[in-house]
mmCIF file with all atom_site columns, all heavy atoms in Angstrom:
data_model
loop_
_atom_site.group_PDB
_atom_site.id
_atom_site.type_symbol
_atom_site.label_atom_id
_atom_site.label_alt_id
_atom_site.label_comp_id
_atom_site.label_asym_id
_atom_site.label_entity_id
_atom_site.label_seq_id
_atom_site.pdbx_PDB_ins_code
_atom_site.Cartn_x
_atom_site.Cartn_y
_atom_site.Cartn_z
_atom_site.occupancy
_atom_site.B_iso_or_equiv
_atom_site.pdbx_formal_charge
_atom_site.auth_seq_id
_atom_site.auth_comp_id
_atom_site.auth_asym_id
_atom_site.auth_atom_id
_atom_site.pdbx_PDB_model_num
ATOM 1   N N   . ASP A 1 80 ? -70.839 81.478 -155.773 1.00 0.00 ? 80 ASP A N   1
ATOM 2   C CA  . ASP A 1 80 ? -69.714 81.824 -154.892 1.00 0.00 ? 80 ASP A CA  1
ATOM 3   C C   . ASP A 1 80 ? -68.712 80.681 -154.753 1.00 0.00 ? 80 ASP A C   1
ATOM 4   O O   . ASP A 1 80 ? -67.795 80.767 -153.931 1.00 0.00 ? 80 ASP A O   1
ATOM 5   C CB  . ASP A 1 80 ? -70.239 82.200 -153.506 1.00 0.00 ? 80 ASP A CB  1
ATOM 6   C CG  . ASP A 1 80 ? -71.101 83.448 -153.548 1.00 0.00 ? 80 ASP A CG  1
ATOM 7   O OD1 . ASP A 1 80 ? -70.837 84.301 -154.405 1.00 0.00 ? 80 ASP A OD1 1
ATOM 8   O OD2 . ASP A 1 80 ? -72.030 83.551 -152.735 1.00 0.00 ? 80 ASP A OD2 1
ATOM 9   N N   . LYS A 1 81 ? -68.890 79.619 -155.531 1.00 0.00 ? 81 LYS A N   1
ATOM 10  C CA  . LYS A 1 81 ? -68.032 78.461 -155.371 1.00 0.00 ? 81 LYS A CA  1
ATOM 11  C C   . LYS A 1 81 ? -66.571 78.814 -155.653 1.00 0.00 ? 81 LYS A C   1
ATOM 12  O O   . LYS A 1 81 ? -66.232 79.411 -156.677 1.00 0.00 ? 81 LYS A O   1
ATOM 13  C CB  . LYS A 1 81 ? -68.478 77.343 -156.332 1.00 0.00 ? 81 LYS A CB  1
ATOM 14  C CG  . LYS A 1 81 ? -67.898 75.987 -155.981 1.00 0.00 ? 81 LYS A CG  1
ATOM 15  C CD  . LYS A 1 81 ? -68.585 74.888 -156.765 1.00 0.00 ? 81 LYS A CD  1
ATOM 16  C CE  . LYS A 1 81 ? -68.086 73.523 -156.328 1.00 0.00 ? 81 LYS A CE  1
ATOM 17  N NZ  . LYS A 1 81 ? -68.751 72.428 -157.063 1.00 0.00 ? 81 LYS A NZ  1
ATOM 18  N N   . GLY A 1 82 ? -65.720 78.453 -154.700 1.00 0.00 ? 82 GLY A N   1
ATOM 19  C CA  . GLY A 1 82 ? -64.299 78.729 -154.847 1.00 0.00 ? 82 GLY A CA  1
ATOM 20  C C   . GLY A 1 82 ? -63.863 80.048 -154.269 1.00 0.00 ? 82 GLY A C   1
ATOM 21  O O   . GLY A 1 82 ? -62.663 80.321 -154.152 1.00 0.00 ? 82 GLY A O   1
ATOM 22  N N   . THR A 1 83 ? -64.813 80.895 -153.866 1.00 0.00 ? 83 THR A N   1
ATOM 23  C CA  . THR A 1 83 ? -64.469 82.213 -153.332 1.00 0.00 ? 83 THR A CA  1
ATOM 24  C C   . THR A 1 83 ? -64.312 82.192 -151.813 1.00 0.00 ? 83 THR A C   1
ATOM 25  O O   . THR A 1 83 ? -63.753 83.132 -151.239 1.00 0.00 ? 83 THR A O   1
ATOM 26  C CB  . THR A 1 83 ? -65.539 83.245 -153.700 1.00 0.00 ? 83 THR A CB  1
ATOM 27  O OG1 . THR A 1 83 ? -66.796 82.854 -153.090 1.00 0.00 ? 83 THR A OG1 1
ATOM 28  C CG2 . THR A 1 83 ? -65.726 83.320 -155.202 1.00 0.00 ? 83 THR A CG2 1
ATOM 29  N N   . GLY A 1 84 ? -64.843 81.162 -151.190 1.00 0.00 ? 84 GLY A N   1
ATOM 30  C CA  . GLY A 1 84 ? -64.789 81.094 -149.730 1.00 0.00 ? 84 GLY A CA  1
ATOM 31  C C   . GLY A 1 84 ? -65.930 81.820 -149.051 1.00 0.00 ? 84 GLY A C   1
ATOM 32  O O   . GLY A 1 84 ? -66.039 81.814 -147.822 1.00 0.00 ? 84 GLY A O   1
ATOM 33  N N   . THR A 1 85 ? -66.802 82.441 -149.834 1.00 0.00 ? 85 THR A N   1
ATOM 34  C CA  . THR A 1 85 ? -67.954 83.150 -149.273 1.00 0.00 ? 85 THR A CA  1
ATOM 35  C C   . THR A 1 85 ? -69.072 82.150 -148.981 1.00 0.00 ? 85 THR A C   1
ATOM 36  O O   . THR A 1 85 ? -69.544 81.459 -149.881 1.00 0.00 ? 85 THR A O   1
ATOM 37  C CB  . THR A 1 85 ? -68.472 84.215 -150.258 1.00 0.00 ? 85 THR A CB  1
ATOM 38  O OG1 . THR A 1 85 ? -67.406 85.115 -150.573 1.00 0.00 ? 85 THR A OG1 1
ATOM 39  C CG2 . THR A 1 85 ? -69.632 84.984 -149.656 1.00 0.00 ? 85 THR A CG2 1
ATOM 40  N N   . LYS A 1 86 ? -69.481 82.089 -147.714 1.00 0.00 ? 86 LYS A N   1
ATOM 41  C CA  . LYS A 1 86 ? -70.506 81.134 -147.311 1.00 0.00 ? 86 LYS A CA  1
ATOM 42  C C   . LYS A 1 86 ? -71.707 81.863 -146.728 1.00 0.00 ? 86 LYS A C   1
ATOM 43  O O   . LYS A 1 86 ? -71.554 82.853 -146.009 1.00 0.00 ? 86 LYS A O   1
ATOM 44  C CB  . LYS A 1 86 ? -69.947 80.150 -146.280 1.00 0.00 ? 86 LYS A CB  1
ATOM 45  C CG  . LYS A 1 86 ? -68.823 79.273 -146.814 1.00 0.00 ? 86 LYS A CG  1
ATOM 46  C CD  . LYS A 1 86 ? -68.331 78.289 -145.762 1.00 0.00 ? 86 LYS A CD  1
ATOM 47  C CE  . LYS A 1 86 ? -67.225 77.400 -146.307 1.00 0.00 ? 86 LYS A CE  1
ATOM 48  N NZ  . LYS A 1 86 ? -66.753 76.415 -145.299 1.00 0.00 ? 86 LYS A NZ  1
ATOM 49  N N   . THR A 1 87 ? -72.888 81.357 -147.054 1.00 0.00 ? 87 THR A N   1
ATOM 50  C CA  . THR A 1 87 ? -74.125 81.950 -146.560 1.00 0.00 ? 87 THR A CA  1
ATOM 51  C C   . THR A 1 87 ? -75.115 80.841 -146.229 1.00 0.00 ? 87 THR A C   1
ATOM 52  O O   . THR A 1 87 ? -74.953 79.688 -146.662 1.00 0.00 ? 87 THR A O   1
ATOM 53  C CB  . THR A 1 87 ? -74.754 82.884 -147.610 1.00 0.00 ? 87 THR A CB  1
ATOM 54  O OG1 . THR A 1 87 ? -74.932 82.143 -148.847 1.00 0.00 ? 87 THR A OG1 1
ATOM 55  C CG2 . THR A 1 87 ? -73.887 84.098 -147.873 1.00 0.00 ? 87 THR A CG2 1
ATOM 56  N N   . TRP A 1 88 ? -76.152 81.201 -145.471 1.00 0.00 ? 88 TRP A N   1
ATOM 57  C CA  . TRP A 1 88 ? -77.231 80.249 -145.195 1.00 0.00 ? 88 TRP A CA  1
ATOM 58  C C   . TRP A 1 88 ? -78.186 80.218 -146.385 1.00 0.00 ? 88 TRP A C   1
ATOM 59  O O   . TRP A 1 88 ? -78.543 81.262 -146.918 1.00 0.00 ? 88 TRP A O   1
ATOM 60  C CB  . TRP A 1 88 ? -78.004 80.663 -143.944 1.00 0.00 ? 88 TRP A CB  1
ATOM 61  C CG  . TRP A 1 88 ? -77.307 80.394 -142.658 1.00 0.00 ? 88 TRP A CG  1
ATOM 62  C CD1 . TRP A 1 88 ? -76.734 81.309 -141.836 1.00 0.00 ? 88 TRP A CD1 1
ATOM 63  C CD2 . TRP A 1 88 ? -77.111 79.111 -142.044 1.00 0.00 ? 88 TRP A CD2 1
ATOM 64  N NE1 . TRP A 1 88 ? -76.185 80.687 -140.742 1.00 0.00 ? 88 TRP A NE1 1
ATOM 65  C CE2 . TRP A 1 88 ? -76.401 79.339 -140.843 1.00 0.00 ? 88 TRP A CE2 1
ATOM 66  C CE3 . TRP A 1 88 ? -77.448 77.806 -142.398 1.00 0.00 ? 88 TRP A CE3 1
ATOM 67  C CZ2 . TRP A 1 88 ? -76.036 78.309 -139.983 1.00 0.00 ? 88 TRP A CZ2 1
ATOM 68  C CZ3 . TRP A 1 88 ? -77.089 76.770 -141.551 1.00 0.00 ? 88 TRP A CZ3 1
ATOM 69  C CH2 . TRP A 1 88 ? -76.390 77.015 -140.357 1.00 0.00 ? 88 TRP A CH2 1
ATOM 70  N N   . ARG A 1 89 ? -78.582 79.026 -146.773 1.00 0.00 ? 89 ARG A N   1
ATOM 71  C CA  . ARG A 1 89 ? -79.586 78.897 -147.831 1.00 0.00 ? 89 ARG A CA  1
ATOM 72  C C   . ARG A 1 89 ? -80.526 77.744 -147.499 1.00 0.00 ? 89 ARG A C   1
ATOM 73  O O   . ARG A 1 89 ? -80.123 76.743 -146.901 1.00 0.00 ? 89 ARG A O   1
ATOM 74  C CB  . ARG A 1 89 ? -78.942 78.693 -149.201 1.00 0.00 ? 89 ARG A CB  1
ATOM 75  C CG  . ARG A 1 89 ? -78.167 77.402 -149.388 1.00 0.00 ? 89 ARG A CG  1
ATOM 76  C CD  . ARG A 1 89 ? -77.554 77.363 -150.790 1.00 0.00 ? 89 ARG A CD  1
ATOM 77  N NE  . ARG A 1 89 ? -76.937 76.097 -151.112 1.00 0.00 ? 89 ARG A NE  1
ATOM 78  C CZ  . ARG A 1 89 ? -75.704 75.760 -150.788 1.00 0.00 ? 89 ARG A CZ  1
ATOM 79  N NH1 . ARG A 1 89 ? -74.939 76.616 -150.133 1.00 0.00 ? 89 ARG A NH1 1
ATOM 80  N NH2 . ARG A 1 89 ? -75.227 74.572 -151.118 1.00 0.00 ? 89 ARG A NH2 1
ATOM 81  N N   . GLU A 1 90 ? -81.768 77.925 -147.902 1.00 0.00 ? 90 GLU A N   1
ATOM 82  C CA  . GLU A 1 90 ? -82.794 76.923 -147.599 1.00 0.00 ? 90 GLU A CA  1
ATOM 83  C C   . GLU A 1 90 ? -82.595 75.685 -148.457 1.00 0.00 ? 90 GLU A C   1
ATOM 84  O O   . GLU A 1 90 ? -82.361 75.781 -149.663 1.00 0.00 ? 90 GLU A O   1
ATOM 85  C CB  . GLU A 1 90 ? -84.181 77.514 -147.843 1.00 0.00 ? 90 GLU A CB  1
ATOM 86  C CG  . GLU A 1 90 ? -85.315 76.562 -147.505 1.00 0.00 ? 90 GLU A CG  1
ATOM 87  C CD  . GLU A 1 90 ? -86.682 77.165 -147.753 1.00 0.00 ? 90 GLU A CD  1
ATOM 88  O OE1 . GLU A 1 90 ? -86.789 78.411 -147.708 1.00 0.00 ? 90 GLU A OE1 1
ATOM 89  O OE2 . GLU A 1 90 ? -87.628 76.399 -147.999 1.00 0.00 ? 90 GLU A OE2 1
ATOM 90  N N   . ARG A 1 91 ? -82.719 74.530 -147.812 1.00 0.00 ? 91 ARG A N   1
ATOM 91  C CA  . ARG A 1 91 ? -82.590 73.270 -148.544 1.00 0.00 ? 91 ARG A CA  1
ATOM 92  C C   . ARG A 1 91 ? -83.933 72.592 -148.767 1.00 0.00 ? 91 ARG A C   1
ATOM 93  O O   . ARG A 1 91 ? -84.083 71.820 -149.695 1.00 0.00 ? 91 ARG A O   1
ATOM 94  C CB  . ARG A 1 91 ? -81.646 72.326 -147.807 1.00 0.00 ? 91 ARG A CB  1
ATOM 95  C CG  . ARG A 1 91 ? -81.064 71.235 -148.687 1.00 0.00 ? 91 ARG A CG  1
ATOM 96  C CD  . ARG A 1 91 ? -79.871 70.585 -148.037 1.00 0.00 ? 91 ARG A CD  1
ATOM 97  N NE  . ARG A 1 91 ? -79.119 69.756 -148.969 1.00 0.00 ? 91 ARG A NE  1
ATOM 98  C CZ  . ARG A 1 91 ? -78.011 69.100 -148.647 1.00 0.00 ? 91 ARG A CZ  1
ATOM 99  N NH1 . ARG A 1 91 ? -77.542 69.175 -147.421 1.00 0.00 ? 91 ARG A NH1 1
ATOM 100 N NH2 . ARG A 1 91 ? -77.381 68.382 -149.540 1.00 0.00 ? 91 ARG A NH2 1
ATOM 101 N N   . GLY A 1 92 ? -84.898 72.879 -147.911 1.00 0.00 ? 92 GLY A N   1
ATOM 102 C CA  . GLY A 1 92 ? -86.217 72.302 -148.135 1.00 0.00 ? 92 GLY A CA  1
ATOM 103 C C   . GLY A 1 92 ? -87.027 72.162 -146.861 1.00 0.00 ? 92 GLY A C   1
ATOM 104 O O   . GLY A 1 92 ? -86.520 72.302 -145.751 1.00 0.00 ? 92 GLY A O   1
ATOM 105 N N   . ILE A 1 93 ? -88.319 71.868 -147.048 1.00 0.00 ? 93 ILE A N   1
ATOM 106 C CA  . ILE A 1 93 ? -89.252 71.639 -145.945 1.00 0.00 ? 93 ILE A CA  1
ATOM 107 C C   . ILE A 1 93 ? -89.687 70.183 -145.991 1.00 0.00 ? 93 ILE A C   1
ATOM 108 O O   . ILE A 1 93 ? -89.953 69.633 -147.062 1.00 0.00 ? 93 ILE A O   1
ATOM 109 C CB  . ILE A 1 93 ? -90.481 72.558 -146.060 1.00 0.00 ? 93 ILE A CB  1
ATOM 110 C CG1 . ILE A 1 93 ? -90.044 74.024 -146.018 1.00 0.00 ? 93 ILE A CG1 1
ATOM 111 C CG2 . ILE A 1 93 ? -91.485 72.271 -144.959 1.00 0.00 ? 93 ILE A CG2 1
ATOM 112 C CD1 . ILE A 1 93 ? -91.180 75.002 -146.256 1.00 0.00 ? 93 ILE A CD1 1
#
Side-chain angles (χ1 to χ4, degrees):
D80 296 329
K81 196 168 185 179
T83 63
T85 303
K86 296 182 179 181
T87 55
W88 285 107
R89 65 182 187 275
E90 182 180 334
R91 201 164 193 178
I93 300 175

